[in-house]
Every structure is written in C-alpha cells, then in structure tokens.
Amino acid sequence: MLVDLLQIIGTYMQDVFVRNLDVWVVVGVVAQAFFTARFAVQWIASERAGRSVIPTAFWLLSLAGGAMLLIYALHRKDPVFVAGQTFGFFIYLRNVYFVIRESRV
C-alpha cells in the first residue's frame, strides 16, 4: 500500500517536473523563487531590527515575482491565478511607488 502510494506520487512528480518541463515552467519556477525570497528578506530584516520590518527589497521582489507570475498565469489561461496575481501586482506597484516617493523627500 505505502509502496504503491509512493510510486503514484513519484510518477505524478515526474509528470509535473520532468515531462511538462518547458520554458514557461522555468519562468514560473523563477517567478515563484522571487516571490518566496521576499519572505526570507522580510524575516531577516525583522530579526535584525527586533521588530516587524518590511524592507524595500520585499516590495521589489514582490513586484518582480508578481509580474512574472502574472505573465505565467496569463500564458496558462488560469482565471483564478490571473485574478489573484493582477490584484497583488497593483498593490506591489503602489508600495514601490511609495518607497520611491519617500526616498525623494
């Protein structure tokens, strides 16, 4: 039973990560890496400050990862993914605008 389950999972993972590998999957993986890296950046900045901090790099990684994930979602024609990434993209863009505006003052 467990061996069968592991074999099913292994076959599924091979289908997902090997057989379906194309340039769009690479774009999606890189985008997700940017998006995930922002949490590490935020965590490290907060640990160093001893309080919750959202550094500029968090918003820049959010914007880059969100834009790439939106492009990926548009290519895949996934309405749920497109809607979620579109909303987030504008939030990240607005926060980057605030960071730029604040740095000019």
Side-chain angles (χ1 to χ4, degrees), residues 9 15 30 32 35 39 47 50 55 61-62 73 78 85 93 98:
I9 292 170
D15 285 345
V30 170
Q32 192 60 53
F35 208 65
F39 291 113
E47 287 294 330
L61 288 166
S62 296
D78 183 326
Q85 290 304 317
L93 192 60
F98 288 145

Side-chain angles (χ1 to χ4, degrees), residues 66 69-90:
L69 285 171
L70 177 57
I71 291 166
Y72 178 77
L74 289 166
H75 173 74
R76 295 292 183 185
K77 298 178 182 173
D78 183 326
V80 174
F81 201 12
V82 169
Q85 290 304 317
T86 300
F87 181 70
F89 177 76
F90 286 107

Side-chain angles (χ1 to χ4, degrees), residues 5-42:
L5 179 61
L6 290 175
Q7 186 175 12
I8 291 168
I9 292 170
T11 301
Y12 176 81
M13 294 302 224
Q14 184 176 3
D15 285 345
V16 170
F17 292 103
V18 178
R19 288 193 186 122
N20 292 333
L21 185 64
D22 62 12
V23 78
W24 284 105
V25 172
V26 173
V27 168
V29 168
V30 170
Q32 192 60 53
F34 276 123
F35 208 65
T36 302
R38 69 196 186 125
F39 291 113
V41 166
Q42 192 273 331

Side-chain angles (χ1 to χ4, degrees), residues 35-59 61-62:
F35 208 65
T36 302
R38 69 196 186 125
F39 291 113
V41 166
Q42 192 273 331
W43 176 43
I44 291 166
S46 293
E47 287 294 330
R48 286 181 178 167
R51 62 184 176 79
S52 182
V53 174
I54 301 178
T56 301
F58 177 89
W59 296 117
L61 288 166
S62 296

